[in-house]
Amino acid sequence: MTLSAPSPIAHERRQAVDAALADVRRILHGAPPDRSTLDAITARLEQLASQKVLFSRADFPPPAEAAGVGASTRYRLNPADGEAGLALYLNSINPGKTTAPHNHTTWAVIVAVEGQEVNRVYERTDDHRDPARAQIHVAREFTVRPGASIAFLPDDIHSIHVVGTGPTLHFHLYGQPLETLTGRIAIDPETGAVKNYNAAYLRPSEAVA
């Protein structure tokens, strides 16, 4: 069977994604990032997000209405990199989506192509001695939208809440693929109960060639 060639848009998108990730690797210099490094990575990812013609809703559709309020699809934009190093996803999420407060155990940058996502950022106030319990409170809220991005270090804790009337298209860039982050935790803000985030919530991504 003869495989069809990728469309011009898909080819241009692949070049743009590869160039952005190459720049991110240069910014990192092989070292764990600090806040200023994350600012530089965020700026580069915002440049990619500005190329909206490459990331259309037609190519990255949200879940069908039948999937329910808050349903989401996560597209892996660099699947050829496998489990080694950076992982760039494009999240297409219907309004109503929320997550439990969680960490990532790696750095993360969230940049919007379109749509709004409220991020609640938490401070942890316990002594970390009990692996089954944590105490957190909301330190601030920030709405990710085009031109307004957010970044996290590995131990930062946040939750997301998709608002507005339309689905999101948001880049989520991580230092490692989500599927490899087996030590992530989710925290119940009411009871303080801790559970493994990936085991409880993570669903497979869609690979984009």
Side-chain angles (χ1 to χ4, degrees):
M1 181 177 67
T2 302
L3 297 177
S4 60
S7 69
I9 286 290
H11 179 69
E12 187 177 352
R13 179 169 58 239
R14 170 54 48 214
Q15 289 185 316
V17 166
D18 289 349
L21 292 178
D23 287 342
V24 170
R25 292 184 183 100
R26 281 192 285 271
I27 293 168
L28 287 168
H29 293 298
D34 57 16
R35 298 285 183 191
S36 63
T37 305
L38 289 181
D39 288 344
I41 292 171
T42 299
R44 182 61 182 88
L45 204 57
E46 287 177 343
Q47 292 177 20
L48 184 64
S50 71
Q51 298 176 265
K52 294 188 177 184
V53 69
L54 302 181
F55 304 99
S56 70
R57 184 136 337 267
D59 288 336
F60 300 95
E65 290 185 9
V69 173
S72 63
T73 301
R74 184 176 61 250
Y75 298 93
R76 175 82 186 270
L77 297 181
N78 64 323
D81 289 333
E83 295 185 354
L86 302 178
L88 178 60
Y89 303 91
L90 185 58
N91 286 3
S92 187
I93 306 176
N94 288 328
K97 170 77 173 183
T98 65
T99 68
H102 61 276
N103 66 357
H104 298 108
T105 68
T106 188
W107 58 269
V109 173
I110 304 175
V111 170
V113 178
E114 60 181 72
Q116 299 181 66
E117 174 189 289
V118 173
N119 277 248
R120 292 178 184 157
V121 182
Y122 299 80
E123 289 184 353
R124 186 168 176 175
T125 57
D126 64 291
D127 60 13
H128 296 224
R129 290 184 181 180
D130 184 352
R133 287 287 182 273
Q135 295 177 349
I136 58 174
H137 72 270
V138 177
R140 64 187 178 98
E141 287 192 356
F142 181 86
T143 300
V144 176
R145 59 186 184 274
S149 309
I150 197 167
F152 300 100
L153 291 172
D155 291 331
D156 291 341
I157 299 169
H158 80 133
S159 61
I160 68 170
H161 309 264
V162 177
V163 297
T165 59
T168 67
L169 277 176
H170 286 188
F171 290 128
H172 286 230
L173 176 63
Y174 300 93
Q176 296 174 231
L178 289 174
E179 294 78 5
T180 71
L181 304 178
T182 56
R184 298 169 71 195
I185 62 170
I187 302 167
D188 185 317
E190 301 298 327
T191 68
V194 172
K195 65 175 67 175
N196 183 282
Y197 189 92
N198 278 17
Y201 301 114
L202 189 66
R203 299 294 180 265
S205 304
E206 299 281 344
V208 178

